Amino acid sequence: MHSNDFLLILAFFALVLIPAPFLGRYLYRVMEGEKTWLSPVLQPVERLCYRVAGVDDEREHDWQTYALALLAFTLVSLLTLFSILMLQGSLPLNPQQLSGLEWTLAFNTAVSFATNTNWQAYSGEAQLSYFSQMLGLGVQNFVSPAVGLAVLVVFCRGIARRSSNSVGNFWVDLTRGTLYGLLPLCLLLALFLVWQGVPQTFQAYVTAHTLGGTDQVVPLGPAASQIAIKQLGTNGGGFFGVNSAHPFENPTAWSNLFEMAAILLIPAALLFTFGHYVKDLRQSRALLACMLILFSIGLAGTLYAEYQPNPALAALPIEQGASLEGKESRFGTTASALWATATTAASNGSVNAMHDSFSPLGAMVPLFNMMLGEVIFGGVGAGLYGMLLFVLIAVFLAGLMIGRSPEYLGKKLEAREVRLLVATLLVMPVGVLVFGSLAASLPGPAASVSNPGAHGFSQLLYAYTSGTANNGSAFAGFAAGTPYHNLMLGLAMLLGRFGYILPILAIAGSLAAKTRAPVGSNSFPTHGPLFVTLLTLTILLVGGLTFLPALALGPIAEHLTLFQGL
Amino acid sequence: MFKQLRPAVSVLAFMTLITGVLYPLAVTAVAQLALPAQANGSLLHNAQGAVRGSALLAQPVAGAEWFQARPSAADYASVPSGASNLAPSNPALAARIAADAQRWQAEGQGAVPMELVTTSASGLDPHLSPAAARYQVARIAAARGLPASRLEQLIEQHVQAPLVGPAVVNVLALNLALADNPSLVPSE
């Protein structure tokens, strides 16, 4: 590693962590309906939205109504996106005259974007019109993270409020999160990306006559605006097929740094939003410490593994160093490993290098990050509510150990909450192990793997992990675009989204209804190093251990074959 | 749930207008006014105004007298772009690299740089490390009848070394310099 590698890592952490307290406080004010410096511009827009929708923004709802509104919105989103993708051939803004998608692919893509997964079974530049990208995928890129944010603030209110039946108004949370939270940041990032070389035009593709005498089609489109929200909204669905590895999607080392920091910017800030809700920023710092520990271990592991030369190439007359197969020269090994760690710690799923060609252990870290449920920063809203579930589990375990009834920030955890918590623990194992082994044991679906041996199994495991965790990154050699995988991965994504959201809304509703006992000297403190250690171990043992056998069959077996010649 | 359908439909329609229409239009307007070159794909034109390519996309050029870009798994296809996705343990990867390395070794000295035998993630990687460009100097110098030092100098002039990333040279920029500069044209 050179000095610019260390500088990159340092700049990345600085860009994520320095704005976090300020952005976190801003987002708290936004979600609680307070005035911000953008209110003079955005408030009329916001009012107009409520008037058009017939929403009374003063009125809050109980958790059941909130959940129904969220489900109705997702259902309408799914149907709309599905129709756009099927009908794009007859819709405007289609200079390449692309036809509609096949129905299982349209279903998969609609679910994928409405659940903030952004799994790409399609290739953008070859299959989607500008209309589908902008008015279909682009819109879901905004509203699906806003839904995650809404669920998170409901959880925060559940802890902060006392004896309350109401948890908020879904339409207000959704609108404010999108307008005040995501939109201004996207405008800034989009223009920065254009400056670095990302196209932003409605022109048709251009044909160039190259030096070699052949013709080359230069794909264009309104890319920068979409890539900005793809990164900031932890979406990850690329404008171009190879995502942020494409020189148009990510042209320079600087665009790479900012796109990478944009993945974790809002998730890191939301830790502080949570601290403002519970009026205790020590809680934010404790959760941040836990996330940074897990992130750093993962990053160190990926970097170490990616810098090892591939033993299979040891006898060849080539430079013996880090493999650059599936990596871009302008990023090199460090930026590729850092991106892979960040994109799977969050539920982003964009890539700037091909994880399929990573070393076995270098690719195991992203896989493991997703298996933990993406709680290391995680998706917008989704990461922190996943983390808070682990916090409640850790508190419950601590309660069992010291023999007193568990409570978190003055809220008692009782049988109902614990039952719901355990239900969420089943989501990842069901999606990954049940759906994954089903696909592995059917001859047709299993034939989608493109690499032999243990790595083939890793490809399949990665696909179902990515789908259930709502990540969207892939071992891209896996032929995911078959009707079976389109449908089953679509189901896995729905399970991974609503298997968390519904229990969380229920837990939030029941927490909000409780009184909040004063946190006394007898309470188990949840901000010190002891709790951070307990929480980290809980995540690794409760979240991770389930998947050890599967990892042994995939990346670990491949590593042993490759490095020990077993 | 039915009571929620009206706000669901209208909020989605409203958000489509704001985030799906107005937002990309606003970005496009600013980009086209302030940064038209980048916003339209960083296109390179010749004196007659015809498009020769994009500064950001690699293009294949056959012949010993040109700098070769990194190999592309999709054969430099731009619609759609693609990678090899070969696993490190896949025997096909080692076999391909062995064959390519043998070819490269015939023209350069020492171990073949990694970039020249591995396919990029996009298949359109426009860059090489300065070392991988220098590895090709002997061949190009011979084919063009130029002193190697002149080509070394050309590479040095084109090195971009950002603070937060590896140093690279743009292969298309090198080749265009070779094509356009009369002092670099082969002396027959």
Side-chain angles (χ1 to χ4, degrees):
Chain A
M1 287 173 71
H2 297 286
S3 60
N4 57 29
D5 295 311
F6 291 104
L7 212 57
L8 171 72
I9 294 173
L10 203 68
F12 168 76
F13 279 110
L15 280 175
V16 170
L17 296 178
I18 292 172
F22 308 102
L23 185 58
R25 183 176 152 72
Y26 169 77
L27 288 172
Y28 168 73
R29 295 176 61 92
V30 165
M31 298 314 283
E32 285 309 287
E34 294 178 21
K35 277 219 174 343
T36 69
W37 61 278
L38 283 171
S39 298
V41 187
L42 290 175
Q43 203 159 38
V45 185
E46 187 192 349
R47 295 253 159 267
L48 183 66
C49 177
Y50 301 146
R51 195 169 326 139
V52 173
V55 167
D56 175 5
D57 61 314
E58 299 293 325
R59 200 166 147 216
E60 296 209 332
H61 300 119
D62 57 14
W63 77 266
Q64 290 97 333
T65 313
Y66 199 99
L68 281 180
L70 188 153
L71 288 174
F73 184 73
T74 309
L75 185 70
V76 171
S77 295
L78 270 176
L79 292 175
T80 309
L81 186 50
F82 181 75
S83 316
I84 291 177
L85 294 172
M86 295 284 287
L87 301 173
Q88 67 172 4
S90 337
L91 292 168
L93 276 178
N94 185 9
Q96 301 310 119
Q97 299 178 349
L98 300 163
S99 53
L101 299 185
E102 181 262 335
W103 77 270
T104 60
L105 182 58
F107 166 77
N108 182 283
T109 308
V111 171
S112 167
F113 278 75
T115 58
N116 197 234
T117 309
N118 308 52
W119 171 262
Q120 290 174 265
Y122 62 92
S123 185
E125 68 271 47
Q127 282 173 296
L128 294 186
S129 71
Y130 294 171
F131 187 96
S132 298
Q133 295 263 25
M134 274 169 51
L135 285 91
L137 308 187
V139 174
Q140 288 306 316
N141 277 350
F142 275 96
V143 295
S144 67
V147 168
L149 180 58
V151 174
L152 173 69
V153 298
V154 166
F155 202 117
C156 294
R157 289 175 190 143
I159 296 171
R161 292 182 179 182
R162 290 151 209 237
S163 316
S164 161
N165 266 330
S166 59
V167 293
N169 183 320
F170 174 72
W171 306 112
V172 174
D173 290 343
L174 177 73
T175 308
R176 290 186 66 89
T178 310
L179 292 182
Y180 293 80
L182 296 166
L183 205 52
L185 288 171
C186 284
L187 277 169
L188 293 177
L189 183 62
L191 291 173
F192 175 81
L193 291 177
V194 175
W195 177 47
Q196 290 296 307
V198 179
Q200 179 73 24
T201 170
F202 291 99
Q203 269 185 57
Y205 299 175
V206 171
T207 302
H209 305 287
T210 68
L211 267 183
T214 52
D215 281 355
Q216 182 184 41
V217 178
V218 178
L220 295 169
S225 55
Q226 191 146 330
I227 293 163
I229 183 59
K230 168 195 108 176
Q231 296 304 109
L232 282 162
T234 54
N235 290 291
F239 194 87
F240 301 102
V242 292
N243 214 291
S244 278
H246 199 289
F248 272 167
E249 189 139 346
N250 193 0
T252 65
W254 288 104
S255 67
N256 188 63
L257 170 64
F258 278 80
E259 286 187 18
M260 212 156 46
I263 298 177
L264 296 186
L265 182 70
I266 297 178
L270 287 174
L271 284 166
F272 292 91
T273 309
F274 168 68
H276 284 291
Y277 267 103
V278 300
K279 309 262 178 294
D280 185 357
L281 288 171
R282 291 174 310 175
Q283 307 296 332
S284 311
R285 288 193 281 269
L287 297 184
L288 180 63
C290 170
M291 290 179 178
L292 281 176
I293 290 170
L294 290 168
F295 188 88
S296 306
I297 297 173
L299 177 62
T302 322
L303 278 172
Y304 175 78
E306 283 313 297
Y307 269 101
Q308 299 304 308
N310 181 351
L313 310 177
L316 301 178
I318 60 167
E319 178 196 344
Q320 293 298 319
S323 168
L324 289 173
E325 182 73 13
K327 295 191 179 79
E328 297 280 297
S329 314
R330 64 192 178 284
F331 309 142
T333 303
T334 303
S336 302
L338 180 54
W339 186 300
T341 312
T343 195
T344 50
S347 77
N348 188 281
S350 59
V351 294
N352 74 349
M354 293 300 137
H355 295 184
D356 219 347
S357 299
F358 268 36
S359 65
L361 297 185
M364 188 172 80
V365 172
L367 187 56
F368 192 64
N369 276 347
M370 294 190 289
M371 285 170 167
L372 294 181
E374 289 164 348
V375 294
I376 312 169
F377 296 103
V380 170
L384 186 52
Y385 65 61
M387 179 52 115
L388 287 170
L389 290 176
F390 274 117
V391 167
L392 296 187
I393 290 164
V395 164
F396 174 65
L397 293 177
L400 289 181
M401 284 189 259
I402 57 176
R404 47 177 38 256
S405 61
E407 61 172 53
Y408 181 55
L409 302 173
K411 294 276 184 174
K412 278 203 164 31
L413 297 187
E414 287 161 305
R416 178 180 151 81
E417 290 86 48
V418 175
R419 262 200 298 273
L420 288 163
L421 275 179
V422 173
T424 63
L425 281 181
L426 293 176
V427 171
M428 284 307 296
V430 168
V432 176
L433 301 176
V434 177
F435 283 36
S437 46
L438 195 63
S441 51
L442 296 171
S448 281
V449 304
S450 68
N451 281 299
H455 191 92
F457 178 70
S458 301
Q459 286 186 302
L460 206 144
L461 185 65
Y462 198 102
Y464 281 88
T465 306
S466 177
T468 314
N470 289 170
N471 184 276
S473 69
F475 273 11
F478 184 74
T482 68
Y484 176 88
H485 291 303
N486 278 339
L487 294 175
M488 290 306 279
L489 283 166
L491 286 182
M493 291 185 245
L494 287 171
L495 171 73
R497 182 75 162 173
F498 296 102
Y500 280 103
I501 285 185
L502 295 176
I504 281 166
L505 290 176
I507 293 173
S510 100
L511 288 180
K514 292 174 199 264
T515 57
R516 194 170 169 191
V519 182
S521 56
N522 280 336
S523 318
F524 182 65
T526 51
H527 54 262
L530 181 63
F531 184 73
V532 172
T533 312
L534 181 70
L535 178 61
T536 312
L537 291 176
T538 305
I539 293 169
L540 291 176
L541 294 181
V542 178
L545 209 53
T546 327
F547 299 103
L548 195 60
L551 291 174
L553 290 175
I556 296 177
E558 189 192 6
H559 175 81
L560 293 176
T561 325
L562 196 58
F563 282 78
Q564 316 289 334
L566 293 178
Chain B
M1 185 137 168
F2 290 106
K3 243 179 67 185
Q4 305 293 345
L5 279 181
R6 180 189 157 201
V9 171
S10 20
V11 170
L12 183 66
F14 190 83
M15 287 301 164
T16 303
L17 182 70
I18 301 276
T19 65
V21 180
L22 295 179
Y23 160 69
L25 282 180
V27 177
T28 310
V30 179
Q32 289 291 338
L33 284 174
L35 304 154
Q38 291 99 315
N40 293 311
S42 310
L43 299 176
L44 302 168
H45 301 267
N46 65 10
Q48 288 76 46
V51 180
R52 306 168 91 181
S54 164
L56 293 172
L57 303 183
Q59 37 179 262
V61 202
E65 69 274 31
W66 302 107
F67 284 96
Q68 301 296 313
R70 291 183 65 184
S72 166
D75 200 18
Y76 304 97
S78 50
V79 184
S81 46
S84 77
N85 288 307
L86 289 174
S89 58
N90 194 330
L93 176 71
R96 192 202 74 209
I97 293 183
D100 284 357
Q102 209 172 19
R103 231 170 12 82
W104 276 110
Q105 246 199 332
E107 356 187 302
Q109 285 131 27
V112 183
M114 190 55 94
E115 280 103 328
L116 295 178
V117 288
T118 49
T119 62
S120 61
S122 62
L124 294 165
D125 188 344
H127 296 113
L128 284 176
S129 67
R134 277 188 221 112
Y135 194 80
Q136 308 188 31
V137 160
R139 181 198 74 226
I140 300 169
R144 289 188 173 260
L146 283 170
S149 60
R150 187 75 189 82
L151 291 171
E152 300 270 3
Q153 207 184 354
L154 186 71
I155 293 173
E156 285 315 312
Q157 286 163 1
H158 282 84
V159 171
Q160 306 157 0
L163 270 179
V164 292
V168 288
V169 284
N170 187 309
V171 180
L172 182 58
L174 287 178
N175 283 336
L176 289 176
L178 287 176
D180 296 346
N181 192 333
S183 71
L184 293 171
V185 172
S187 48
E188 298 292 326

